[in-house]
Amino acid sequence: MHAIALNSPAPLDANPLQWREVDTPLPGPGQLLIKVAACGVCRSNLHMVEGDWVDGGVPAISPIIPGHEVTGTVASLGDAVEGFAVGDRVGVQPLWWTCEECEYCTSGREQLCHQRKITGEHVNGGYAEYMLSNAAHTYHVPESLDLSEAAPLFCPGITAYGAVQKLDLGPGATVAVFGLGGVGHMAVQFARLTGADVIAVGRSADHLRVAREVGATRVVDASAEDPGRVLAESVDAAITFAPSDAVTEQALETLVWGGTLVAGVPVSVSGLPFNKAQTIKASILGNRAQMNEVLELAAQGKIRSVVDRFSLPQAPEVLGQLAAGKLRSRAVLENRTD
């Protein structure tokens, strides 16, 4: 099979990614071999490729095939696999494996498992014609969903859903979403489903346009005005997907007293006035039940991913566009070579 392989992390302009032939893997016990249909391109892929996470042990193997939001069809089954058949439409998210025994795994918080393995970081991922998955963390994709459009549900979708689920939203509430890329445009939709008014905050004209398309009540162009000042103490909740201390400060400025900030990226807070009784929560991914809820909402037509389609060999080019902020929303690599 062919795949995009990373031999050693390096800046993109050093061409660390190669489109090459590799052995097609064989599924072991409890595993599936998936013929990849599509794989979303996430900024964390870029961080790994360029070596930003080497000190944290990522990538864990070398060479490695990136990609952690994957859809496809089952090509073959390993021993002791139940609930799947060859030809089934399936998807895989970043959480590739968990221990199933720790306090997090046994309490519906498996995304916090300290032994977890991440797709495309600890094991080979979806920038390939075929990949292995762990059956316990593989999901059936509803027949009504296009596999390319479904791929981002497995990272932006579950990430946004998990963040919104940490808030008590409903009719009459107002939430601001900061950072409107692949994850942000999904968060806008999940927040709107609660009945809340949703303010989308971003700097890209394309991102703001997509936010309007998917239901944002209002958009704020952060390149033209200061959201912290424009929205000062006017929103009940804010969600941040922009890894910027300045954005975090703006988000906190928008909160009413008693409001809540959910951080979907690392944040640094220089001060949190206790008299405002505000809350900061962190959120990463979601559990398996929530992943299935995301798929059901998409199958019902209540949420959708906005995608730009590319072929697998174009991965280096697409990552370059992502780094330059030129993507409209979520880029998806399709298993085609044209």
Side-chain angles (χ1 to χ4, degrees):
M1 72 172 189
H2 283 86
I4 291 285
L6 173 68
N7 285 324
S8 180
L12 277 179
D13 57 14
N15 300 315
L17 295 170
Q18 297 179 349
W19 174 249
R20 69 185 196 191
E21 189 170 353
V22 298
D23 292 338
T24 302
L26 297 175
Q31 295 180 350
L32 307 173
L33 178 66
I34 297 173
K35 181 178 181 181
V36 173
C39 182
V41 178
C42 182
R43 185 165 291 275
S44 63
N45 302 157
L46 181 64
H47 284 301
M48 184 186 76
V49 168
E50 295 204 305
D52 297 340
W53 293 346
V54 169
D55 290 344
V58 175
I61 59 173
S62 183
I64 191 168
I65 300 169
H68 62 231
E69 49 196 76
V70 189
T71 56
T73 54
V74 176
S76 63
L77 310 171
D79 292 339
V81 172
E82 298 180 355
F84 294 94
V86 171
D88 282 356
R89 291 155 45 92
V90 294
V92 180
Q93 57 138 302
L95 208 59
W96 193 89
W97 177 91
T98 58
C99 75
E100 309 287 358
E101 297 177 352
C102 69
E103 62 178 298
Y104 303 107
C105 287
T106 56
S107 61
R109 298 176 293 162
E110 58 265 25
Q111 68 270 31
L112 302 182
C113 176
H114 291 5
Q115 300 179 62
R116 65 191 181 195
K117 293 181 180 179
I118 302 299
T119 314
E121 295 179 10
H122 298 107
V123 297
N124 285 326
Y127 285 19
E129 293 178 319
Y130 291 87
M131 68 164 278
L132 294 178
S133 74
N134 170 23
H137 286 278
T138 304
Y139 303 84
H140 289 280
V141 176
E143 290 290 336
S144 61
L145 297 180
D146 175 271
L147 287 176
S148 292
E149 293 177 2
L153 299 176
F154 290 93
C155 181
I158 185 59
T159 298
Y161 190 68
V164 171
Q165 288 285 297
K166 285 183 163 56
L167 294 169
D168 183 18
L169 298 176
T174 302
V175 58
V177 178
F178 288 77
L180 300 174
V183 182
H185 91 286
M186 300 296 298
V188 168
Q189 296 175 75
F190 288 125
R192 282 294 289 153
L193 287 178
T194 70
D197 289 329
V198 182
I199 303 172
V201 183
R203 304 181 65 86
S204 161
D206 282 340
H207 288 175
L208 292 169
R209 190 175 301 111
V210 168
R212 289 191 190 95
E213 290 175 5
V214 298
T217 311
R218 175 184 174 187
V219 300
V220 174
D221 184 353
S223 68
E225 51 190 350
D226 182 347
R229 185 175 299 113
V230 173
L231 303 173
E233 295 188 1
S234 66
V235 306
D236 301 293
I239 308 175
T240 60
F241 298 113
S244 160
D245 291 349
V247 170
T248 300
E249 183 176 340
Q250 290 171 343
L252 286 170
E253 290 171 351
T254 69
L255 290 178
V256 299
W257 291 33
T260 301
L261 170 69
V262 173
V265 290
V267 298
S268 177
V269 179
S270 59
L272 187 67
F274 79 95
N275 61 304
K276 292 186 177 181
Q278 294 167 331
T279 301
I280 298 177
K281 299 180 179 181
S283 182
I284 181 171
L285 296 172
N287 61 31
R288 279 172 281 194
Q290 290 173 319
M291 186 68 247
N292 282 315
E293 289 166 8
V294 169
L295 291 167
E296 181 59 27
L297 288 170
Q300 293 172 2
K302 294 182 177 179
I303 56 107
R304 64 185 177 91
S305 57
V306 176
V307 303
D308 290 315
R309 303 167 187 250
F310 302 86
S311 65
L312 272 173
Q314 291 179 282
E317 172 192 338
V318 175
L319 286 166
Q321 291 187 39
L322 176 62
K326 295 181 178 180
L327 294 175
R328 179 174 61 121
S329 187
R330 198 52 150 198
V332 171
L333 303 174
E334 297 181 325
N335 188 0
R336 54 185 175 83
T337 56
D338 55 304

